[in-house]
C-alpha cells in the first residue's frame, strides 16, 4: 500500500504533488479517500491521464459532456466568442449569445415556457426557481413560501436547495435549524397516492408556493425512475390546489432520455418553471437557466420596482457559456443525438441484463442513456471504481448504485467497454461477498 502510494507520487506531475494539499474535493473524506486521478487531456469520450492511461468517461463528467470532449464545433464557437466578447454583465447590457440562446430555449420548450433567467450553476437555477415561485405569490399579496418536494429527490447543495432534497441525502438532520422546512413526501405512483397527496396538500393550504420535482428520473438521490403518471398527477394536484409546478430537468433535460429533448415532453406535462444546467453547454462551461411560463413572468410586471425578480448573479448569461450552449444546440439539430441516446439505451439494456438475479444485485434498470445497477448494500465505491479503472473506464459509484451516463456520442465499442467493466466489477464483487 505504502509502496503503491510512493510509486504514484514518483510518476505524478508536479502541479499535482504541490497542489494536492490545497484542493478541497467534493463529497470527499479528505483523510481516507483514494487520491483523485490527474487528467492531462480529454478528447471524444476519452480522458487521458497524466501517466498516459486512457479511460472511457462512463459518466460524462457528472452528466454534462453529452457531445464528448473537445467537439470541434463547440470549441470553435467558444474560440470565436473569446476573441470578440468573453463576458459582459447582463445588468443594463445585452449580448447576442444570451439573447439567441434564450430565444432558442423558449422555442424548444413546450407551451409558453418563454422567459429565461440565466445563472451559473444548477443549484442556483433551482434557487431562482424557488425564489420566482415564492415571489410570484408575494407579488399578488400571498405569503406562500414553502415547497412540496419528494423523498429521493436531489436539487443541489446550497441551503435552499438542500431543503428540497431527500431529507437523508440532503442532510436535513445534520443542518437542522439552518434549513427551511419543506413538506417532503413520497412520489405519488397511483390513484391512491394521488388522493393521499391531495389530502396532505389541503392540510398545508395557503402556505405552499409550489411543487419541485425531477421529472421521470431522480438522479443523485438514487437513480430512481417513475412513470409519466406521477407527473400528470402532480400537474392535476397543482392545478386543483393552485400550486406552481417546477420541473428540475438539470439531469434529464437536453437529450439524456432519448425520446425527446426534455422529460416534460415525454410525459406530456406542462410545468410552470423548468431548470436546466449540466449538459447545457455540452459540459464545457458553467451555465444554467430557469425558464418560466408567461403566467409567472406576467406576475412580475408592475409599476412597483419591488415586484421585479430579485436576483442577479455576476456571471449570469456569460457569453462564452452561452456561445457554447448555442453550439451545443446546433449539434442537437445537426447530429442524431436522440437516436444515439436511444441506441445507447438499447445497448445498456442488452449488456447489463446478465447481472439481473446475481447475488447482491437488487435491480438493473435502464431509461434513455442511463444504466443503473443497484446493489443490496452500500457499494465499496473505491473498489468498484478501481476495478473499472483497471478496465479502462471511469465511473463513480455512490451509495448502493453503480451507474453509467455515457456521452451521447459513445460508439458501440466504447459502450461495450463500459458495460463489460460494470459487469465484471459487479460479478467479482458478488462472488467475493455472496459465497
Ligand atoms: C446536479 C443537479 C443539480 C445541481 O446542479 P449544480 O450545478 O451541481 O449546482 C440540481 N438538480 C439536479 C436534478 C441535478 O442533477
Amino acid at each position: 500500500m505504502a509502496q503503491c502510494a510512493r510509486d504514484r507520487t514518483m510518476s505524478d506531475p508536479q502541479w499535482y504533488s504541490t497542489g494536492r494539499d490545497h484542493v478541497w474535493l467534493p463529497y470527499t473524506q479528505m483523510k481516507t479517500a483514494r487520491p483523485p486521478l490527474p487528467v492531462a487531456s480529454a478528447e471524444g469520450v476519452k480522458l487521458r491521464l497524466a501517466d498516459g492511461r486512457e479511460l472511457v468517461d462512463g459518466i460524462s463528467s457528472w452528466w454534462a459532456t453529452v457531445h464528448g470532449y473537445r467537439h470541434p464545433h463547440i470549441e470553435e464557437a467558444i474560440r470565436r466568442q473569446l476573441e470578440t466578447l468573453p463576458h459582459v454583465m447582463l445588468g443594463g447590457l445585452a449580448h447576442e449569445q444570451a439573447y439567441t440562446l434564450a430565444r432558442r430555449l423558449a422555442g424548444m420548450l413546450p407551451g409558453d415556457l418563454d422567459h429565461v433567467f440565466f445563472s451559473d450553476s444548477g443549484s442556483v437555477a433551482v434557487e431562482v426557481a424557488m425564489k420566482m415561485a415564492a415571489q410570484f405569490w408575494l407579488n399578488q399579496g400571498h405569503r406562500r413560501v414553502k415547497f412540496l418536494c419528494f423523498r429521493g429527490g436531489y436539487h443541489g447543495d446550497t441551503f435552499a436547495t438542500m431543503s428540497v432534497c431527500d431529507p437523508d441525502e440532503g442532510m436535513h438532520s445534520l443542518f437542522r435549524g439552518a434549513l427551511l422546512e419543506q413538506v417532503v413526501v413520497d412520489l405519488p405512483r397511483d390513484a391512491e397516492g394521488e388522493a393521499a397527496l391531495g389530502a396532505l396538500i389541503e392540510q398545508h393550504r395557503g402556505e405552499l408556493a409550489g411543487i419541485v420535482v425531477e421529472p421521470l428520473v431522480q438522479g443523485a438521490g438514487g437513480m430512481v425512475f417513475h412513470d409519466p403518471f406521477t407527473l400528470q398527477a402532480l400537474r392535476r394536484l397543482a392545478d386543483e390546489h393552485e400550486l406552481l409546478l417546477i420541473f428540475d430537468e438539470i439531469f434529464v433535460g437536453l437529450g439524456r432520455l432519448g425520446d425527446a429533448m426534455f422529460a416534460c415532453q415525454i410525459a406530456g406535462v406542462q410545468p410552470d418553471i423548468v431548470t436546466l444546467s449540466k449538459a447545457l453547454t455540452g459540459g464545457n462551461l458553467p451555465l444554467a437557466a430557469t425558464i418560466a411560463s408567461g403566467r409567472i413572468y406576467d406576475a412580475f410586471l408592475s409599476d412597483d420596482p419591488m415586484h421585479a425578480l430579485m436576483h442577479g448573479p455576476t456571471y449570469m448569461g456569460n457569453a462564452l457559456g452561452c456561445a457554447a450552449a448555442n453550439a451545443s444546440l446546433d449539434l442537437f439539430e445537426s447530429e442524431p443525438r436522440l437516436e444515439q441516446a436511444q441506441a445507447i439505451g438499447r445497448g445498456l439494456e442488452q449488456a447489463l441484463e446478465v447481472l439481473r438475479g446475481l447475488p447482491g444485485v437488487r435491480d438493473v434498470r435502464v431509461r434513455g442513456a442511463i444504466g443503473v445497477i443497484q446493489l443490496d448494500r452500500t457499494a465499496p465505491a473505491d473498489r468498484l471504481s478501481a476495478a473499472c479503472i483497471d478496465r479502462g473506464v471511469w465511473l463513480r459509484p455512490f451509495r448502493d448504485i453503480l451507474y453509467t451516463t455515457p456521452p451521447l456520442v459513445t460508439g458501440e465499442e466504447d459502450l461495450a467497454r463500459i458495460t463489460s467493466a460494470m459487469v465484471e466489477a459487479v460479478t467479482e464483487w458478488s462472488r467475493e461477498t455472496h459465497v
Side-chain angles (χ1 to χ4, degrees):
M1 198 58 210
Q3 183 60 40
C4 191
R6 216 167 22 252
D7 288 345
R8 287 279 329 259
T9 315
M10 300 285 288
S11 64
D12 285 339
Q14 205 195 350
W15 57 260
Y16 181 74
S17 329
T18 54
R20 246 177 91 164
D21 288 343
H22 306 289
V23 178
W24 202 334
L25 298 170
Y27 290 108
T28 301
Q29 175 42 260
M30 298 301 292
K31 181 171 173 182
T32 55
R34 248 168 144 247
L37 301 170
V39 180
S41 62
E43 184 141 9
V45 301
K46 296 208 178 91
L47 306 169
R48 180 167 296 119
L49 303 185
D51 62 14
R53 280 180 296 169
E54 276 193 347
L55 302 182
V56 177
D57 182 354
I59 58 166
S60 305
S61 269
W62 270 332
W63 324 338
T65 52
V66 282
H67 313 290
Y69 294 90
R70 302 202 53 205
H71 193 291
H73 181 67
I74 301 183
E75 205 165 87
E76 172 57 25
I78 296 173
R79 188 173 297 122
R80 224 181 311 120
Q81 193 60 35
L82 184 64
E83 287 164 2
T84 46
L85 182 70
H87 177 71
V88 70
M89 63 191 280
L90 274 202
L93 300 172
H95 67 83
E96 181 179 355
Q97 295 297 336
Y99 278 60
T100 305
L101 179 60
R103 172 183 56 72
R104 291 176 80 175
L105 290 175
M108 290 166 68
L109 282 157
D112 68 341
L113 287 161
D114 286 343
H115 306 280
V116 182
F117 190 94
F118 288 113
S119 57
D120 36 29
S121 79
S123 300
V124 173
V126 176
E127 293 257 349
V128 170
M130 292 171 72
K131 195 186 271 193
M132 258 179 199
Q135 206 184 338
F136 169 85
W137 294 112
L138 291 171
N139 282 357
Q140 298 170 77
H142 304 290
R143 180 154 291 275
R144 298 173 58 165
V145 294
K146 284 197 178 193
F147 291 88
L148 182 76
C149 50
F150 301 96
R151 289 204 186 84
Y154 175 81
H155 301 284
D157 291 348
T158 55
F159 273 92
T161 57
M162 271 197 292
S163 78
V164 289
C165 289
D166 180 272
D168 298 321
E169 292 297 297
M171 297 159 284
H172 286 204
S173 57
L174 181 62
F175 291 109
R176 194 172 358 177
L179 291 187
L180 303 167
E181 271 185 37
Q182 314 292 10
V183 181
V184 194
V185 297
D186 288 325
L187 281 168
R189 288 175 185 273
D190 50 28
E192 207 180 317
E194 182 178 350
L197 186 50
L200 183 83
I201 292 173
E202 197 52 45
Q203 286 171 26
H204 292 274
R205 206 189 160 82
E207 63 184 59
L208 290 172
I211 304 174
V212 187
V213 65
E214 292 163 272
L216 297 182
V217 180
Q218 293 178 303
M223 298 285 171
V224 180
F225 307 159
H226 55 261
D227 295 332
F229 170 86
T230 292
L231 303 172
Q232 291 153 6
L234 293 179
R235 183 69 268 178
R236 282 190 292 271
L237 290 167
D239 289 342
E240 194 181 326
H241 300 271
E242 283 202 306
L243 303 180
L244 300 183
L245 185 58
I246 301 170
F247 276 8
D248 178 354
E249 297 229 15
I250 289 171
F251 174 32
V252 293
L254 297 157
R256 177 56 61 188
L257 299 184
D259 292 334
M261 283 297 276
F262 302 104
C264 59
Q265 295 169 313
I266 298 172
V269 174
Q270 176 81 26
D272 301 296
I273 301 176
V274 167
T275 55
L276 300 175
S277 186
K278 294 223 160 80
L280 185 55
T281 66
N284 290 277
L285 285 149
L287 186 73
T290 307
I291 302 108
S293 70
R295 172 177 164 233
I296 307 292
Y297 182 75
D298 288 348
F300 289 77
L301 305 180
S302 155
D303 294 325
D304 184 345
M306 292 309 287
H307 282 187
L309 179 60
M310 292 300 173
H311 211 93
T314 306
Y315 281 99
M316 71 180 291
N318 171 260
L320 290 173
C322 290
N326 279 315
S328 171
L329 296 186
D330 293 343
L331 293 176
F332 275 108
E333 285 168 11
S334 62
E335 297 185 5
R337 278 300 169 274
L338 296 184
E339 288 79 358
Q340 288 172 302
Q342 291 166 15
I344 288 172
R346 288 192 295 273
L348 291 173
E349 262 166 22
Q350 274 170 20
L352 299 180
E353 193 54 32
V354 296
L355 289 172
R356 195 180 298 285
L358 197 73
V361 173
R362 176 162 292 166
D363 190 26
V364 177
R365 51 183 181 267
V366 173
R367 167 127 350 143
I370 306 169
V372 181
I373 301 164
Q374 185 170 6
L375 307 177
D376 66 356
R377 62 192 73 176
T378 296
D382 277 357
R383 260 203 43 202
L384 286 179
S385 163
C388 293
I389 290 167
D390 287 346
R391 293 166 173 85
V393 173
W394 171 241
L395 293 172
R396 192 175 148 98
F398 68 95
R399 253 175 40 194
D400 54 351
I401 301 290
L402 177 66
Y403 74 95
T404 180
T405 48
L408 304 182
V409 294
T410 307
E412 271 178 44
E413 202 177 307
D414 289 318
L415 188 66
R417 205 148 141 194
I418 295 171
T419 52
S420 350
M422 292 172 84
V423 167
E424 287 169 27
V426 171
T427 306
E428 226 172 66
W429 167 83
S430 167
R431 271 203 203 107
E432 286 165 24
T433 51
H434 293 72
V435 273

